[in-house]
Amino acid sequence: MFVRQLFDKDTSTYTYIVADPDSGEAAIIDAVREQTERDTRLIEELGFRMKYILETHVHADHVTGASALREHFGAQVALHRIYNAPCADLMLEDGDRLSLGSASIEVLHTPGHTDGDISYRIDGAVFTGDALLIRGCGRTDFQAGDAHTLYESIREKIFTLPDETVVWPGHDYRGHTASTVGEEKRFNPRLGNNKSEDEFVEIMDALNLPDPKRIQESVPGNLRCGSSLN
């Protein structure tokens, strides 16, 4: 499986292009609207046929490039069904599978950061969005987030994957690019080393983080898959 990690420095967001080299079918995960030209150029240079535009959740820190990419490539935009977003072509649920050439993308519903978070498991890797980060995890204090739910999602959905599974996160703020399930089970300070649910909830409740700077624009924009109001 081809994987290319791309970075938006303004929001510390990772975008991923994944593709089946034999068929040329590809998907993009968590596109950023301001990077549409970059992503389009790269996909065309590599000769891939864009099949899916996948969102891990409705983001609060950036607006997706999904609508612009769909208009250009004719690909299908996918979100979790819980968002009830009319703009989405595919309403995904836990256990769904999407074909990418001979490969399969497995949908894992991993709520807790928001109620509609999805992790995508593909060929020995898992794209965790904001649910599990490298040595961290997504906040749980808005968009129907819940620390108890996130703990359960990570422990029962992600940490049960093989230890060698590569973890590709939705963001990083400290220069990391990827990890593994085994590493995070051992070293993640919020969840690793068999941290209890009560300990995790106490950590999350004490974060007291400011709202993302672009939340008022991003959440409604992403419920429209990045299309404008006009």
Side-chain angles (χ1 to χ4, degrees):
M1 178 64 67
F2 173 96
V3 178
R4 179 65 54 84
Q5 183 185 59
L6 301 164
F7 188 65
D8 177 66
K9 65 179 181 179
D10 289 338
T11 61
S12 298
T13 299
Y14 283 129
T15 295
Y16 297 94
I17 297 171
V18 296
D20 172 57
D22 293 333
S23 67
E25 291 186 343
I28 190 167
I29 301 172
D30 288 344
V32 175
R33 185 167 63 184
E34 288 79 7
Q35 300 293 348
T36 299
E37 183 177 346
R38 175 202 68 186
D39 298 344
T40 299
R41 183 186 307 115
L42 179 59
I43 292 162
E44 291 180 339
E45 286 175 347
L46 295 172
F48 293 142
R49 298 191 307 280
M50 188 58 52
K51 187 174 183 181
Y52 304 115
I53 302 162
L54 306 177
E55 300 289 345
T56 57
H57 62 292
V58 167
H59 308 273
D61 51 10
H62 71 270
V63 177
T64 178
S67 282
L69 290 167
R70 175 170 55 193
E71 183 176 351
H72 187 88
F73 290 109
Q76 293 181 300
V77 175
L79 275 167
H80 194 276
R81 182 176 299 278
I82 202 167
Y83 291 120
N84 195 30
C87 65
D89 304 294
L90 299 173
M91 301 285 195
L92 301 177
E93 295 181 333
D94 188 63
D96 285 348
R97 290 183 179 271
L98 304 172
S99 66
L100 203 63
S102 61
S104 178
I105 303 172
E106 181 182 2
V107 174
L108 305 177
H109 185 207
T110 50
H113 170 60
T114 76
D115 55 354
D117 278 68
I118 292 172
S119 296
Y120 295 100
R121 185 185 183 191
I122 311 171
D123 192 27
V126 61
F127 298 81
T128 54
D130 289 13
L132 179 66
L133 304 176
I134 298 174
R135 309 300 192 266
C137 64
R139 61 194 293 174
T140 58
D141 57 339
F142 59 73
Q143 285 184 269
D146 180 82
H148 295 279
T149 303
L150 183 58
Y151 182 87
E152 181 179 348
S153 291
I154 294 172
R155 300 293 298 187
E156 296 188 8
K157 292 286 184 67
I158 299 175
F159 280 4
T160 57
L161 299 175
D163 282 355
E164 64 271 20
T165 302
V166 178
V167 173
W168 296 104
H171 295 277
D172 190 82
Y173 308 96
R174 293 170 292 180
H176 299 292
T177 56
S179 183
T180 66
V181 167
E183 274 189 46
E184 296 309 312
K185 285 164 66 174
R186 294 176 61 195
F187 303 123
N188 192 299
R190 297 181 184 176
L191 292 136
N193 199 24
N194 293 316
K195 191 86 71 181
S196 73
E197 183 173 346
D198 287 343
E199 289 175 302
F200 176 71
V201 171
E202 183 178 357
I203 290 169
M204 299 307 291
D205 286 348
L207 291 180
N208 195 29
L209 298 171
D211 284 347
K213 294 179 181 179
R214 296 179 62 186
I215 188 171
Q216 298 301 324
E217 170 193 8
S218 296
V219 172
N222 289 322
L223 287 169
R224 301 190 302 273
C225 299
S227 64
S228 67
L229 286 172
N230 297 326

